[in-house]
Amino acid sequence: MTAPADPLSPVRAELLRAARVSADTVRDGAQADVEETLRSARATAEAVLARARALGSADGAVAAARERVRAAQDAWTAELAARAEVYAALRAAVLAGVRRKFVEDASLRSCCGEAARRVLGAQARVTAASEGGVTAEVPGRRLDLSADALADRALNRLGVLAETLWEPA
């Protein structure tokens, strides 16, 4: 006996496709930003290092070591800030795409409601979410199939693959 077809499979597939397209677009733009930020940070670090070398002698060596550490920390801080910015832009794009899909296809909300009842049971109280999707509750259990929750789950599924956003192409 084969398992019944998952009625949310086309929704998931479309959401995943849309998320990948959005992610690719955001990643490409972010990659250029990250590379420029890294180039700038490296140039700053090199300038700081050159200045520290000019200080000379033992005091200069100590100061140079401090400057190298600070420059590395500054570069790392800049890279982390760029990564956070890229991820935030990706999340915003994915969230907008999921919300847009709920606006474009009204049947998605009813599909989510049916899925919630399959998970929680027929007695589940299903409520429409303001930005698309639904939430459902039974005593002691709650299921969030809102657009926001679905977008966050899609991004969470990226896991360590999110690291590829800042790797060189």
Side-chain angles (χ1 to χ4, degrees):
M1 175 192 282
T2 61
D6 182 2
L8 287 179
S9 182
V11 173
R12 279 191 207 100
E14 178 57 25
L15 289 174
L16 185 56
R17 186 204 64 73
R20 284 184 177 145
V21 168
S22 292
D24 288 344
T25 302
V26 171
R27 184 191 64 218
D28 292 344
Q31 184 63 43
D33 292 344
V34 166
E35 289 171 4
E36 179 56 35
T37 299
L38 288 175
R39 277 192 293 277
S40 175
R42 286 182 183 124
T44 300
E46 289 172 12
V48 168
L49 184 57
R51 191 178 92 234
R53 284 186 181 137
L55 295 176
S57 75
D59 289 342
V62 170
R66 285 188 193 128
E67 287 295 319
R68 281 192 298 273
V69 168
R70 188 188 63 73
Q73 290 170 337
D74 289 350
W76 182 241
T77 299
E79 183 175 347
L80 290 178
R83 286 181 180 195
E85 189 177 312
V86 168
Y87 190 81
L90 172 62
R91 184 181 185 281
V94 169
L95 184 55
V98 172
R99 287 177 177 172
R100 187 174 47 255
K101 285 296 176 187
F102 274 102
V103 169
E104 292 170 357
D105 187 353
S107 70
L108 292 179
R109 184 173 282 175
S110 63
C111 287
C112 288
E114 292 168 11
R117 285 195 176 89
R118 277 194 305 281
V119 171
L120 297 178
Q123 74 283 9
R125 188 184 70 208
V126 177
T127 306
S130 62
E131 297 292 340
V134 299
T135 58
E137 294 184 45
V138 294
R141 293 177 70 199
R142 183 174 191 274
L143 180 61
D144 188 351
L145 295 177
S146 66
D148 292 7
L150 293 171
D152 284 338
R153 282 189 196 117
L155 287 172
N156 287 339
R157 282 188 171 170
L158 282 176
V160 295
L161 291 176
E163 289 293 317
T164 62
L165 292 172
W166 14 94
E167 290 177 357

